[in-house]
Structure formats: structure tokens, C-alpha cells
Amino acid sequence: MQVPNGAVYKFLMSVDVRGSGSLSHGAKLRMRRDVYELTDRSFRAVGVGSAQMHREDRGDGFIAALDARVPPAHLIGPWLAEVHQGLRPLNEERSRPLGLRVALHVGPVEEDDNGLAGEAMDLVCRLADAAVTRAVLERSGRDLVCVASERLYQDVIRHGGRFIEPSAYRSASLTLKEGPALAWFHVPGEPRPVVPGDEGFAPDRTAGAVGTDESQVRGEPEPVDPADPVGPADPADSTGVPGRGVTERRERPAPVGTGADGTPSRAGRKEAVRVPHRGGDPDGEPGAHFDIDVAEGDNFVITDSVVRGGHFGRRVSRGPRDGDGGAR
């Protein structure tokens, strides 16, 4: 990356709030107040004052460039730990927990009358908004995810430090607007986060985001049992829940009759529809099986159905989490 003449190397961060688009006006105002109070308190706790950073509001978060004299390890370690600890009591008082995506990077930026600019600033914003980042947060069931650039990981994180455990970071490939990029993910409170490519990675449907290839968060189609000659999954038949199931359809041989006008009729055609699941059913059975008789027009009758394991509308209860009073 070519460094512009007037650019200065700084520590960069982008803080985004989960699901802010669905908040009411009043809830957004409270969300903004909580984000700034939490992060400001965390900055003060590690000795970073307002004079040492340039910060710009983004409505549902902010971007910031910190003075090069602030050690990056103080922000990656103690500052992030302060944010994590501060979120717990804050969310206990909220009906809807505040969730944060924090992206970290280091690189050259320029500051003009309108704010911060540069490729490094673009990258840190893309990391916070990436679909994979959203998916890792949702998959974790927690309220904070940190995504660090490859450069920051190699320069600082991999060496460890106070509240910095390199083994707690996992890498994953992202497809950003500018091209592919490698990023490192950390979920405070988790020894190692689950990332795309791990077995069972199935983020919530709300994890989708603009700017990243959706295939990165959906996972691969459920393997088909060779003993069951079902054709390949049709993407158009997906259940709509990324990674939780793919509808597979096969037609059973059946005579096609003719309608009143003499044209071929679909009446009498039979289909078997299977909805595999991704959840580790010990029997390896599909999540559901439906036998369908297709009548005239678009009408059909389900003549037989089997649902195994309660995989539809299932809610998963989590145990107590690192000092929490109980599951949420």
C-alpha cells in the first residue's frame, strides 16, 4: 500500500452496534448514549484522553484514529477488556442487549476539514461491517466481537501481552469490496471463537451484511447420503435460515394425466421433500420428510410427514457464561 505524502500512521478502530436499524427513535438515542459512555469510560481506564484521538460519529457507532504515542497493546488488551466487562452490567439493565462489533487496524490516514480518509480507514470500516464479522458475533451468542486486521495481528497480537491471548484469535477469509482479505476474530469470554469453515457454523439469518459474499456465512450444503438417491440441493429451495437446512426435492415416477383442455396435467405427480438439518442429530437423520401429492393447478396435499428432533423453531438455552447470573 502506497503511503500518501500527508498521511500519518495511527491506531484505527470502528465500532458498530448490532441491529441498530430496527431500533425506534428513542431506543437509538439511548443506544448512542450507552455506547459513548461505555467506550469513554474504557478509554479513561487505560489513560487515553480525548486529546489523543480523533473520533467521528456514525449514527450507530463511531470511527476513531488514536495518536501513535498510544501503545496499540493498551487498546487491544486492557481497553477491549474494559469494554467487555462494562457491557455486562449495562446489558442487565436493557430489555434488548447492546451488541458491539469492534474492528481494529493500524495504518496511514489523512485528516482534513471533513474528517479521516485513506485506504487504512476504509479497511477498518469494512471489517466491522463484514458479513463474517456479523455472523461470528451472532454465532457466539455473546455481545461483543473484535475483528483485527492481518497486519495488526502480525505486528502486535501474535506476540501477546496483558489481556492479549493470541490463541483466542481465529483467522477467516473475507471478500470485501476491494477484494479478498484475511482477518482475525476474537470473542471476549470465549477461548476460541467459531468461524466460517468450522463444522456446525450456522449463523442467525440476521447475520447477512452488505459488501461480503453471503456464501461465507451460509456454509456448505448438507452432504447427501449416497444410499438415498436425492438430487442435488436447489438453492431456490433453501429454508431461508443460513446453514440450518437446505430443501432437497425428488420426484417419484408417476403417470401424467391430461386436463379438461387436453393439455398435460400435473395431477398425480408425487414429490418427496427432505429438509436436512445442521445440528448434530446423533442418528444423522434429516430434520423433516414430507410426501406430497400434486393435484390440479398449484394445489397439493401432504400425505405423509415426519419431523425428527424438533428442529423447527427450536430455541437453544445456554448455560451460565463466565460470571453471568445465568443463561440469556
Side-chain angles (χ1 to χ4, degrees), residues 297-310:
D298 293 326
N299 297 320
F300 64 87
V301 178
I302 297 178
T303 57
D304 183 50
S305 63
V306 178
V307 179
R308 300 180 185 275

Side-chain angles (χ1 to χ4, degrees), residues 2-319:
Q2 185 176 1
V3 180
N5 291 335
V8 177
Y9 273 81
K10 293 192 175 185
F11 185 92
L12 309 174
M13 67 171 57
S14 176
V15 177
D16 278 357
V17 174
R18 171 182 60 198
S20 60
S22 62
L23 297 177
S24 66
H25 178 71
K28 285 184 178 180
L29 293 179
R30 182 187 175 191
M31 172 269 290
R32 287 168 52 82
R33 181 180 67 250
D34 287 347
V35 168
Y36 277 102
E37 288 180 356
L38 172 64
T39 54
D40 284 350
R41 186 166 59 248
S42 300
F43 280 126
R44 290 193 297 269
V46 298
V48 176
S50 58
Q52 295 172 285
M53 66 177 159
H54 174 104
R55 184 164 58 179
E56 296 179 16
D57 183 72
R58 286 294 185 265
D60 59 350
F62 62 85
I63 59 174
L66 289 96
D67 194 294
R69 290 171 295 181
V70 177
H74 287 187
L75 300 167
I76 302 168
W79 179 82
L80 190 65
E82 289 287 341
V83 172
H84 177 222
Q85 293 300 321
L87 262 178
R88 298 186 177 197
L90 177 64
N91 280 339
E92 288 176 355
E93 301 174 357
R94 296 175 58 92
S95 58
R96 178 173 175 173
L98 184 68
L100 298 179
R101 303 187 305 274
V102 177
L104 304 176
H105 181 40
V106 61
V109 293
E110 289 196 67
E111 184 178 343
D112 57 24
D113 293 338
N114 298 309
L116 301 169
E119 292 181 14
M121 198 77 250
D122 293 342
L123 175 59
V124 76
C125 292
R126 302 275 192 242
L127 292 178
D129 194 47
V132 173
T133 306
R134 296 169 182 262
V136 171
L137 177 60
E138 296 306 317
R139 175 62 177 78
S140 72
R142 293 180 180 266
D143 302 320
L144 176 63
V145 64
C146 170
V147 52
S149 67
E150 165 71 356
R151 174 164 191 171
L152 186 61
Y153 179 85
Q154 295 298 335
D155 288 352
V156 183
I157 296 173
R158 71 183 181 93
H159 301 291
R162 184 167 177 255
F163 297 120
I164 302 176
E165 180 53 60
S167 65
Y169 284 77
R170 298 282 307 286
S171 63
S173 297
L174 288 69
T175 302
L176 306 180
K177 182 181 294 186
E178 295 79 7
L182 185 67
W184 293 80
F185 294 89
H186 170 48
V187 176
E190 295 281 350
R192 287 173 66 81
V194 178
V195 298
D198 289 346
E199 183 178 358
F201 185 85
D204 186 85
R205 73 177 69 192
T206 59
V210 177
T212 302
D213 185 351
E214 185 180 341
S215 64
Q216 294 175 344
V217 298
R218 290 181 64 98
E220 295 299 321
E222 188 77 13
V224 177
D225 185 353
D228 191 5
V230 180
D234 181 353
D237 292 332
S238 65
T239 62
V241 183
R244 291 186 183 173
V246 177
T247 303
E248 296 174 350
R249 176 177 295 150
R250 64 178 175 183
E251 289 191 16
R252 295 178 177 176
V256 179
T258 56
D261 59 356
T263 59
S265 170
R266 294 188 300 169
R269 191 176 86 237
K270 294 180 181 292
E271 292 186 355
V273 179
R274 294 198 315 133
V275 185
H277 71 280
R278 303 176 71 91
D281 190 323
D283 298 324
E285 296 289 346
H289 177 99
F290 302 96
D291 287 339
I292 297 177
D293 290 340
V294 179
E296 288 288 343
D298 293 326
N299 297 320
F300 64 87
V301 178
I302 297 178
T303 57
D304 183 50
S305 63
V306 178
V307 179
R308 300 180 185 275
H311 295 289
F312 293 86
R314 179 178 64 177
R315 291 181 62 86
V316 180
S317 298
R318 299 179 180 274

